[in-house]
Amino acid sequence: MEIKELIIESHQIAKSKGWWDEERGIPELIALMHSELSEALEEYRDGESLNLRFKGDKPLGFTVELADVLIRIFDMAGKYDLDLDYALKEKIKYNSTRNYRHGNKKA
């Protein structure tokens, strides 16, 4: 599945589940992305496997929390009609031209 298709599907699901019944701004959406990253950190800290696991039918784990980050990003991209596919390709292309550690940055 292409990124554009994932954006459309993620946004359609979010709308159908009521997450866009009221308008939400970009700061709130970014905070939700942060929360998913924090949940991934907690999964890591719990010492569970980094791979997908299930509790009944529900997927769980570090990898699932990273997937939730992407779903949040795709939902926002769908709402605001962002060409994330193009931006991602352009940024990867640019990164390939950068200096080693971007000029010796620490992080």
Side-chain angles (χ1 to χ4, degrees):
M1 189 176 279
E2 296 284 327
I3 289 175
K4 290 178 183 181
E5 294 168 323
L6 293 168
I7 288 170
I8 291 167
E9 185 173 359
S10 295
H11 186 57
Q12 289 298 325
I13 290 170
K15 287 193 315 186
S16 76
K17 301 300 179 185
W19 295 113
W20 287 100
D21 288 352
E22 294 181 18
E23 201 62 28
R24 297 187 302 167
I26 288 176
E28 178 183 352
L29 299 172
I30 290 173
L32 290 167
M33 293 170 204
H34 280 282
S35 72
E36 298 297 352
L37 284 170
S38 295
E39 290 175 14
L41 178 59
E42 288 306 310
E43 284 289 334
Y44 175 77
R45 286 181 174 165
D46 287 347
E48 297 285 349
S49 168
L50 296 180
N51 294 312
L52 175 77
R53 64 183 193 281
F54 288 89
K55 183 174 184 178
D57 290 342
K58 184 177 181 180
L60 301 170
F62 180 80
T63 307
V64 171
E65 298 305 334
L66 294 180
D68 281 343
V69 175
L70 293 174
I71 290 167
R72 295 277 189 191
I73 292 169
F74 294 159
D75 178 32
M76 185 178 78
K79 169 64 178 173
Y80 292 102
D81 196 27
L82 306 175
D83 192 346
L84 192 59
D85 185 58
Y86 177 68
L88 182 60
K89 289 174 183 171
E90 288 299 311
K91 182 60 174 162
I92 289 170
K93 184 169 65 174
Y94 173 73
N95 283 351
S96 73
T97 70
R98 297 182 83 159
N99 292 334
Y100 180 78
R101 291 188 64 103
H102 304 185
N104 213 20
K105 288 185 178 179
K106 300 294 182 201

